[in-house]
Amino acid sequence: MSNCAIVGINWGDEGKGRMVDLLTEEYDVVVRYQGGGNAGHTVINDYGKFALHLLPSGIFRKNVVNVLGNGVALDAENLWKEIEVVREKGVAITPENLKISDRASLLLPWHRLLDELEEKRLADKKYGSTKQGIAPFYSDKFQKKTVLAGELLFPKKLKEHLMQLLEWKNLIITKVYGAEPYTEQTLDEWLDTYGEKIKPFITNTSDFLRRASENGKNIMFEAQLGALRDIDFGIYPYTTSSNAIAAYAPVGSGFTSAKLDRVTGVVKAYSTCVGEGPFTCEMFGEEAEKLREAGGEYGAKTGRPRRVGPIDFVATRYGVQTQGATEIALTKLDVLSYMKKIPVCTHYTVDGKVRDDFPFPSEIDDAKPVIEYVDGWMCDISGIREWKDLPEAARAYVEMTEKAIGCHIKYVSVGPERNSIIIR
Ligand code: GDP
């Protein structure tokens, strides 16, 4: 039996989906333990290309059971739409291979509306939300103003509970934002459509995970976003509203006694960031445009162009430490193949002082990157599968990164497909 978490080291979009898809071969259960429909994991395999937002990336493996834990923002509408897309490609999704925690809180239809209203109110000070209702959802969860998925199994009590919440929410919608109230009829329609559809998948997943572990099953915990977006340790307030770190896996999965044997941190060979907030190593102009194009850096959920920059050793080292990574998967090394000289951010300066620790959020606005250029390899490496076959400059880039971030790089990904990987 072994447990593993696959987590993002940076701002998200590091390529976690492709790593989960690859590594699930060795696992029996894949659990999502935080976040919701706000970020996408891209998986390319024999069934096609998918942007998964809520479904665990193990859904394509025949013998893998996929779990949505209690820490997830359970958006029944988006989940159901995703299930339909994946089913259409011939993947079976049943209560046998997908289990939803009865203790997961439901993202209710008004959460998306409130997200939109608040971003509109903030205008040029907006957080850059994906408007999937995640922040209103998590604040309601901790205010105890949403419902648990398991309540869908008790319809009469659920309706009473929801009506109390609706009354309170409508005060905010109408009196704070001056918008139209949410109606009981719309709520009923939502319950009849999406609530009913997800009901058969709801179960006590804590029990399931504990028993699976007792029976020697290997469990993988799949995180969303990255360390720099973690609500406690990220660049607050430009974070997500949940804990994206491995340490949260036992809580958010519902398998509270879980021990992690392995934490695989995913790092991209350069940096990207979606949304607002400090991004110290950001590149602009033609250099940025070229990198964005080469890496296809457009949001999986929103299609928004991602902000890009060189690999950032300061932020990445912090991410490795925060995640407690035991090994690293370095992805998208192939994307850098067009560069004669590759920029890397080795340090920051703040107020003229060189810093190699990651600054506190209030300081980070003033941080400036120190950039060095290293030799590129200028050839296609996407077909390479052995470490020794990589050009010397590519190996030097990986080794330099490994040293700077303080963690062994076990996997080097050179393409989006399942087998485009070098294992060291
Ligand atoms: P995630 O949210 O961490 O899973 O990352 P995304 O799915 O948003 O972004 C990763 C993108 O890069 C997807 O389009 C992947 O198919 C793609 N990708 C992952 N690894 C590699 C790689 O090594 N090379 C290339 N060229 N693309 C990759």
Side-chain angles (χ1 to χ4, degrees), residues 227-236 239 243 245 318 322 358 361:
L228 305 175
R229 294 291 193 214
D230 181 87
I231 181 77
D232 284 292
F233 301 103
I235 308 170
Y236 192 84
T239 59
N243 286 106
I245 55 169
Y318 174 74
T322 306
F358 193 66

Side-chain angles (χ1 to χ4, degrees), residues 286-306:
E286 204 184 315
E287 201 184 5
E289 200 46 53
K290 264 189 161 167
L291 181 54
R292 188 175 297 119
E293 277 301 310
E297 296 299 346
Y298 300 90
K301 178 84 200 177
T302 58
R304 281 190 289 189
R306 293 177 181 149

